[in-house]
Amino acid sequence: MRILVIAAAVLALTAGSAQAQGRRQPLDPAKPADNKPKVDEKAYKSALERIPEPKDKYDPWGGARPSEPAKTPK
């Protein structure tokens, strides 16, 4: 009987927390839905131009394999 009461209490607490997560606040129709920051294309392009060009080609697997191919013995 005691185990049944504990199991019922755990179930009730779990169901209550799951129900609380499902609740949502209604959207206020007076507030605008567009909260995204405005993108300044001119600033974006100038920032891209300021990125320096790399001197060497990027090799993501450079640490996993030798840089020169293995030479076969004759």
Side-chain angles (χ1 to χ4, degrees):
M1 181 72 176
R2 185 177 181 191
I3 294 174
L4 198 58
V5 171
I6 292 173
V10 168
L11 241 166
L13 290 174
T14 305
S17 66
Q19 184 181 8
Q21 289 178 0
R23 293 184 187 153
R24 299 281 184 231
Q25 295 288 335
L27 291 175
D28 187 11
K31 290 184 180 178
D34 187 22
N35 292 336
K36 296 179 183 177
K38 303 218 179 197
V39 178
D40 186 8
E41 293 292 327
K42 186 177 178 184
Y44 174 74
K45 289 187 182 210
S46 69
L48 285 179
E49 290 173 358
R50 288 185 299 212
I51 297 175
E53 290 294 323
K55 295 177 183 174
D56 297 331
K57 185 177 178 184
Y58 178 69
D59 184 14
W61 289 92
R65 63 172 188 259
S67 59
E68 295 179 10
K71 295 181 181 178
T72 56
K74 292 183 179 183

